[in-house]
């Protein structure tokens, strides 16, 4: 099967862990095991999140005051290359003889998207209320509650078109395992003619993964996260996992906008557009999700 596999942010960092490179590399060993197990039997394309990483890079950029801080599209490109490199390091010893390519991926968005005036996408570390207040005053960042703390939020426009789609197809045709559209891809708008211009935003990586899977006519979309399935009544005593469901049934339910909501929406979009299947579940269950014996499996 051809599968698009989207790694959640937990593949690099678990909540509460420091943003150290060594911590991320250790966590990626788990992701490397899961991806390699799938790649031995399937044709896979890998995407990943970048929320903590791009937020950290933005903080580091602010610390050097002799130049203006770099815009988010450039920071997104930095994080995409960095994370792709770390994933390749884990895959190479697990898949000897395979070739890998991390592709910086531009994703076109609509400059009139209302998301630009309503930032909702959390990036960077979690702050207490006082630190969040100081950062908001000093930098003009929008801050929003995240669990017991606060995180910076930025615009998250809808992905419309993957600019490097033809290059991704050519690499796949040559048997290359492609890592692309990391962090949702680099958000760009059309400036004039063929010229694209980056914008201050971070695209939701699950929505970009669904767009990529649809364009590549994938047989399945696998969204890997830190919970074993989609749950009804999450956080309550009566919470129950959803094992097999349809897009129509999922569309009737409500899920948290900052966590499971985008994954459910992305999975439903892909299934509705292709009549293929999508799976949502834990990183360690990747092989079983593809076998439809774990996670939440969504069909038309």
């Amino acid at each position: 099967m051809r599968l698009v596999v989207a790694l959640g942010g937990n593949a690099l960092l678990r909540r509460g862990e420091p943003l150290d490179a060594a911590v991320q590399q250790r966590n990626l060993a788990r992701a490397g095991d899961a991806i390699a197990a799938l790649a031995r039997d399937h044709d896979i394309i890998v995407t990943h999140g970048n929320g903590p990483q791009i937020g950290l890079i933005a903080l580091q950029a602010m610390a050097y005051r002799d130049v203006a801080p770099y815009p988010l599209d450039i920071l997104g490109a930095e994080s995409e290359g960095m994370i792709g490199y770390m994933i390749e390091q884990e895959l190479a010893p697990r898949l000897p003889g395979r070739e890998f390519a991390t592709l910086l991926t531009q994703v076109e968005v609509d400059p009139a998207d209302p998301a630009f005036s309503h930032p909702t996408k959390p990036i960077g570390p979690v702050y207490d209320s006082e630190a969040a207040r100081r950062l908001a005053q000093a930098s003009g960042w929008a801050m929003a509650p995240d669990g017991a703390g606060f995180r910076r939020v930025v615009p998250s426009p809808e992905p419309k078109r993957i600019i490097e789609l033809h290059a991704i197809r050519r690499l796949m045709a040559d048997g290359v395992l492609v890592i692309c559209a990391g962090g949702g891809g680099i958000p760009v708008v059309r400036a004039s003619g063929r010229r694209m211009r980056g914008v201050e935003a971070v695209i939701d990586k699950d929505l970009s993964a669904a767009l990529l899977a649809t364009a590549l006519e994938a047989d399945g979309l696998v969204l890997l996260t830190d919970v074993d399935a989609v749950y009804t009544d999450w956080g309550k005593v009566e919470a129950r996992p959803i094992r097999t469901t349809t897009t129509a049934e999922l569309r009737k339910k409500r899920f948290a906008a900052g966590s499971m909501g985008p994954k459910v929406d992305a999975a439903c979009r892909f299934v509705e557009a292709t009549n293929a299947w999508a799976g949502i579940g834990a990183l360690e269950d990747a092989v079983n999700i593809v076998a439809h014996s774990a996670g939440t499996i969504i069909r038309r």
Side-chain angles (χ1 to χ4, degrees):
M1 287 189 290
R2 174 177 292 179
L3 305 173
V4 170
V5 180
L7 299 176
N10 67 297
L12 284 88
L13 283 169
R14 301 178 186 183
R15 182 173 289 272
E17 287 184 329
L19 292 165
D20 295 343
V23 173
Q24 297 179 61
Q25 198 73 63
R26 284 198 302 270
N27 287 340
L28 269 175
R30 297 163 49 244
D33 290 339
I35 296 169
L38 290 177
R40 292 185 187 105
D41 296 317
H42 304 286
D43 182 12
I44 70 168
I45 305 94
V46 178
T47 73
H48 57 80
N50 74 340
Q53 292 76 26
I54 192 173
L56 174 62
I57 295 170
L59 285 169
Q60 291 171 330
M62 285 180 60
Y64 184 68
R65 300 184 179 277
D66 288 353
V67 298
Y70 281 21
L72 277 176
D73 60 305
I74 293 178
L75 301 185
E78 289 184 27
S79 68
E80 195 174 359
M82 173 186 72
I83 297 169
Y85 159 70
M86 295 171 77
I87 293 172
E88 286 192 39
Q89 281 192 316
E90 293 299 326
L91 290 180
R94 291 170 170 82
L95 295 169
R98 291 292 299 273
E99 291 186 306
F100 312 96
T102 296
L103 188 67
L104 293 180
T105 313
Q106 301 173 91
V107 176
E108 186 174 0
V109 300
D110 184 350
D113 192 308
F116 284 108
S117 57
H118 299 284
T120 59
K121 180 70 174 175
I123 65 171
V126 178
Y127 303 99
D128 61 31
S129 58
E130 179 58 26
R133 184 189 63 79
R134 288 198 307 269
L135 270 172
Q137 288 181 343
S139 62
W141 289 354
M143 308 294 284
D146 188 301
F150 293 82
R151 290 177 77 188
R152 180 188 178 188
V153 289
V154 300
S156 183
E158 287 268 332
K160 298 297 184 184
R161 184 171 69 95
I162 296 169
I163 305 300
E164 285 78 14
L165 184 62
H166 181 60
I168 294 169
R169 286 196 178 113
R170 290 186 64 179
L171 287 165
M172 290 172 54
D174 282 341
V176 178
L177 195 160
V178 182
I179 303 161
C180 62
I186 304 162
V188 296
V189 297
R190 188 169 299 281
S192 60
R194 293 174 58 87
R195 182 178 177 81
M196 309 301 292
R197 173 176 58 82
V199 291
E200 281 282 289
V202 173
I203 304 170
D204 183 84
K205 71 106 173 42
D206 293 315
L207 295 184
S208 285
L211 180 65
L212 176 67
T214 301
L216 293 176
E217 299 178 332
D219 299 296
L221 171 63
V222 185
L223 304 172
L224 300 176
T225 182
D226 56 356
V227 294
D228 66 327
V230 179
Y231 278 72
T232 59
D233 300 311
W234 176 254
K236 300 179 181 178
V237 175
E238 59 269 27
R240 294 291 182 273
I242 302 170
R243 293 304 179 187
T244 302
T245 187
T246 65
T247 57
E249 286 300 314
L250 278 183
R251 292 291 194 193
K252 296 175 184 177
K253 306 180 190 300
R254 298 189 67 178
F255 300 94
S259 56
M260 192 56 73
K263 289 178 173 54
V264 168
D265 186 25
C268 288
R269 291 190 193 197
F270 169 69
V271 173
E272 289 163 353
T274 63
N275 208 26
W277 61 270
I280 302 174
L283 179 66
E284 294 82 358
D285 292 336
V287 171
N288 292 329
I289 292 169
V290 173
H292 296 182
S293 60
T296 297
I297 306 302
I298 304 148
R299 297 187 178 89
R300 187 72 173 269

